[in-house]
């Protein structure tokens, strides 16, 4: 019997297993003895390894950081990497987020798509492959992470103890195949503010944004002014002239200026409106006198403005595969003595960290701004003629009848955390991406389709 028919025979068990795992609330919690990420992720891992053991696989639990189900022998292995931890459920659910109820052919619940359903599809796909009697020349591991949503610290633990796979995929993104993921930098620009304004107008504070990887939809400034009505009037005229959504009002001894933007993901800042930069544009027109804070505002107005590609900053990198660099000023926190601005910059897959940071450092040289809290992820890129990419394309086209187009994205997937892995599914083209949203679900038909694609992919990679 062929592999896909074996998957069909396992459908009920697959659905039941997904429901059982989704019912475990595996949000990161307080670390406990033997539970590095809290009880929820540890309980989910224990359950999944029990399911895998019952299916006949050898299972290994690496101290509740990460576990795997293994089939076959040999030194080299093909890896399928998924995660069992989930983000908090939030509000707005029409069905309970941890009940795994089935309605209209869909399993509802947190983690159904991200990533419990897909990694169980891979596990049952491997079971179908074994049941079909296929011969493999390499070992296969289905790896279950427990910390993807909070930093992927479990994979550091894994790679300190285990060799990486020679090839494989993570079912934690979308189809067809994501062969390029931009490099990501997240850091603070910090400046001490020692030269104060002696003007009739001065800025007491500027605060806005939530995270560096979100376009800020709100920012406000507290301004001291002898003539408050003049500042309010200037704000009104500026908003009328530019179309920016700015408001000003008196509160105690300050004028509070509020800017309203439109939020978007930091990987696609062009889809939003940056409230911080709209507020800076107005503040730059006020008579703030000679001061460090004015120098800072003028610098950002000159070299950033509402641009989202870094061109004026001198870092407008671009390539044919992944397009333009993305530049997002996500958070600002300025008081009388210090300015902290959180940036999220993502650079094209064929460019290097040095090609980004050398001109960036040149631009801020002499401004008094320094970089702190730098976090960096290298770009991920598999050329279209890479053996892994060609194999995934072949299987995807055979199983779906659709062209397996290659995607490059600004976001980062689990594939960045493990060598020789590429993001492959589980969301089919045209289907909604409900990751991290209320009413997350996976269609049972898609769960089965994923199991078939993953089973055949494992066969091609490990045969």
């Amino acid at each position: 019997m062929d592999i896909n028919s074996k998957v069909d025979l396992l459908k009920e068990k697959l659905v039941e297993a997904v429901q059982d795992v989704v019912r475990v609330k595996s949000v990161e919690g307080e670390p406990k003895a033997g539970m590095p990420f809290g009880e929820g992720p540890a309980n989910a891992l224990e359950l999944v390894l029990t399911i895998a053991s019952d299916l006949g696989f050898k299972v290994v639990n690496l101290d509740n950081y990460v576990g795997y189900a293994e089939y076959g022998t040999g030194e080299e292995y093909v890896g399928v990497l998924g995660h069992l931890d989930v983000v908090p459920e939030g509000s707005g659910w029409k069905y309970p987020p941890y009940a795994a109820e089935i309605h209209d052919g869909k399993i509802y619940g947190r983690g159904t798509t991200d990533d419990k359903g897909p990694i169980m599809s891979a596990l049952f796909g491997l079971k179908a492959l074994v049941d079909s009697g296929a011969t493999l020349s390499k070992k296969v591991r289905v790896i279950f992470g427990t910390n993807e949503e909070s930093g992927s610290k479990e994979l550091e633990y894994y790679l300190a103890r285990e060799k990486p796979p020679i090839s494989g995929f993570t079912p934690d993104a979308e189809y067809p195949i994501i062969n390029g993921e931009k490099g990501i930098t997240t850091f603070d620009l910090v400046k001490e503010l020692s030269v104060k304004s002696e003007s009739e107008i001065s800025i007491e504070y500027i605060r806005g944004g939530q995270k560096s990887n979100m376009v800020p939809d709100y920012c406000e400034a507290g301004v001291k002014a002898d003539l408050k009505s003049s500042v309010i009037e200037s704000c009104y005229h500026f908003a009328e002239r530019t179309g920016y959504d700015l408001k000003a009002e008196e509160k105690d001894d300050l004028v509070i200026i509020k800017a309203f933007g439109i939020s978007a993901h930091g990987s696609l800042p062009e889809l939003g409106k940056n409230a911080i930069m709209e507020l800076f544009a107005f503040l730059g027109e006020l008579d703030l006198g000679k001061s460090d804070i004015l120098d800072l505002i003028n610098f950002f107005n000159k070299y950033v403005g509402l641009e989202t590609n870094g061109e004026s900053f001198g870092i407008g990198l671009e390539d044919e595969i992944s397009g333009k660099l993305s530049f997002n000023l996500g958070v600002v926190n300025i008081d009388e003595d210090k300015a902290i601005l959180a940036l999220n910059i993502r650079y094209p897959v064929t460019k290097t960290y040095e090609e980004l940071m050398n001109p960036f450092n040149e631009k801020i040289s002499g401004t008094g701004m320094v970089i702190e809290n730098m976090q960096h992820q290298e770009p991920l890129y598999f050329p279209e003629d890479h053996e892994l990419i060609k194999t995934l394309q072949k299987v995807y086209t055979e199983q779906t009848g659709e062209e397996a187009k290659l995607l490059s994205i600004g976001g980062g997937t689990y594939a960045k955390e493990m060598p020789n892995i590429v993001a492959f599914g589980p969301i089919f083209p045209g289907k909604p991406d409900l990751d991290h949203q209320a009413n997350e679900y996976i269609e049972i038909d898609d769960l089965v389709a994923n199991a078939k694609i993953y089973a055949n992919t494992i066969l091609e990679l490990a045969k």
Side-chain angles (χ1 to χ4, degrees):
M1 191 181 287
D2 71 358
I3 296 167
N4 287 2
S5 299
K6 291 291 185 184
V7 170
D8 288 330
L9 290 177
L10 290 166
K11 176 179 172 179
E12 281 185 31
K13 279 190 174 179
L14 169 59
V15 169
E16 198 177 293
V18 171
Q19 287 180 292
D20 288 344
V21 181
V22 169
R23 288 180 185 125
V24 180
K25 183 175 179 177
S26 51
V27 177
E28 184 180 24
E30 286 295 315
K32 295 188 173 183
M35 297 179 174
F37 309 116
E39 286 185 29
N43 290 341
L45 181 59
E46 183 183 6
L47 173 60
V48 166
L49 292 179
T50 300
I51 292 168
S53 179
D54 290 347
L55 290 172
F57 296 114
K58 173 190 171 186
V59 297
V60 174
N61 184 340
L62 294 175
D63 306 317
N64 275 332
Y65 278 84
V66 59
Y68 58 84
E70 186 174 82
Y71 176 74
T73 56
E75 282 297 302
E76 296 182 332
Y77 72 94
V78 170
V80 185
L81 174 66
H83 64 92
L84 303 175
D85 60 312
V86 295
V87 296
E89 65 277 11
S91 57
W93 289 77
K94 59 181 171 182
Y95 306 114
Y98 299 108
E101 292 181 10
I102 296 175
H103 299 275
D104 301 320
K106 300 165 184 168
I107 309 173
Y108 282 83
R110 177 57 81 227
T112 46
T113 299
D114 184 23
D115 188 36
K116 292 175 175 179
I119 196 60
M120 296 310 283
S121 283
L123 178 66
F124 278 80
L126 178 58
K127 171 63 174 168
L129 183 58
V130 172
D131 289 351
S132 74
T135 303
L136 304 181
S137 67
K138 300 178 188 73
K139 263 192 317 197
V140 179
R141 277 185 191 174
V142 181
I143 303 167
F144 306 101
T146 61
N147 187 239
E148 190 273 344
E149 301 291 5
S150 309
S152 300
K153 292 183 277 292
E154 85 283 42
L155 295 190
E156 292 174 27
Y157 195 85
Y158 180 90
L159 290 169
R161 288 157 182 80
E162 302 278 349
K163 289 196 312 185
I166 57 161
S167 68
F169 59 90
T170 176
D172 193 24
E174 59 194 73
Y175 287 119
I177 301 154
I178 295 173
N179 71 316
E181 301 179 19
K182 286 180 177 175
I184 304 176
T185 58
T186 299
F187 57 94
D188 295 333
L189 272 184
V190 180
K191 179 177 169 112
E192 303 293 335
L193 305 175
S194 52
V195 179
K196 309 288 197 251
S197 170
E198 294 180 7
S199 168
E200 294 173 350
I201 302 174
S202 64
I203 294 172
E204 296 291 296
Y205 71 85
I206 306 173
R207 287 193 292 270
Q210 298 174 64
K211 294 174 72 176
S212 64
N213 67 349
M214 291 170 64
V215 176
D217 59 4
Y218 180 74
C219 188
E220 72 172 52
V223 176
K224 260 191 177 168
D226 290 352
L227 269 174
K228 294 188 181 70
S229 59
S230 167
V231 174
I232 292 170
E233 196 174 319
S234 295
C235 179
Y236 171 77
H237 287 309
F238 179 85
E240 198 173 47
R241 187 174 82 243
T242 60
Y244 296 171
D245 189 357
L246 297 179
K247 306 273 191 304
E249 60 187 39
E250 281 191 54
K251 186 178 179 185
D252 301 325
D253 62 337
L254 296 178
V255 176
I256 309 298
I257 301 160
K258 301 177 178 181
F260 302 88
I262 296 172
S263 189
H265 195 279
S267 63
L268 297 165
E270 66 276 11
L271 300 182
K273 284 187 180 176
N274 193 307
I276 295 171
M277 290 313 309
E278 294 195 351
L279 182 61
F280 274 21
F282 169 65
L283 296 176
E285 293 196 357
L286 294 178
D287 180 16
L288 296 172
K290 182 169 174 51
S291 62
D292 282 346
I293 197 165
L294 179 61
D295 289 346
L296 180 80
I297 289 167
N298 285 343
F299 176 91
F300 272 85
N301 284 338
K302 181 176 181 181
Y303 295 119
V304 181
L306 293 181
E307 271 185 11
T308 56
N309 58 18
E311 279 189 14
S312 295
F313 212 98
I315 54 171
L317 302 174
E318 184 176 1
D319 66 20
E320 278 188 27
I321 297 156
S322 57
K324 295 176 187 284
L325 170 145
S326 65
F327 186 114
N328 185 57
L329 169 55
V331 185
V332 64
N333 195 347
I334 300 176
D335 58 26
E336 292 179 83
D337 301 315
K338 192 174 189 177
I340 304 173
L341 303 104
L343 273 65
N344 185 271
I345 300 174
R346 299 166 188 243
Y347 60 95
V349 297
T350 61
K351 305 298 180 181
T352 66
Y353 179 74
E354 289 70 29
E355 286 176 284
L356 164 67
M357 293 312 299
N358 290 344
F360 188 97
N361 285 319
E362 279 178 35
K363 187 65 78 179
I364 65 170
S365 176
T367 65
M369 285 186 270
V370 294
I371 291 172
E372 293 183 3
N373 304 317
M374 170 62 79
Q375 293 180 297
H376 173 235
Q377 280 188 319
E378 296 277 353
L380 177 76
Y381 177 55
F382 287 80
E384 59 184 37
D385 60 354
H386 191 285
E387 200 59 43
L388 174 58
I389 299 303
K390 290 197 294 187
T391 300
L392 298 186
Q393 284 184 304
K394 172 178 176 283
V395 174
Y396 182 82
T397 299
E398 284 174 356
Q399 293 297 314
T400 67
E402 304 288 332
E403 183 189 353
K405 292 178 180 173
L406 302 181
L407 308 173
S408 280
I409 60 170
T413 78
Y414 216 15
K416 270 206 175 127
E417 310 296 337
M418 180 77 79
N420 309 319
I421 293 282
V422 69
F424 186 44
I427 301 170
F428 289 96
K431 294 287 178 82
D433 180 351
L434 299 170
D435 292 3
H436 299 196
Q437 296 184 37
N439 303 312
E440 180 185 349
Y441 66 77
I442 192 161
E443 294 180 38
I444 291 171
D445 286 350
D446 287 351
L447 200 63
V448 173
N450 275 306
K452 291 175 180 177
I453 291 171
Y454 296 150
N456 285 280
T457 302
I458 293 167
L459 174 61
E460 290 294 323
L461 294 174
K463 69 183 183 183

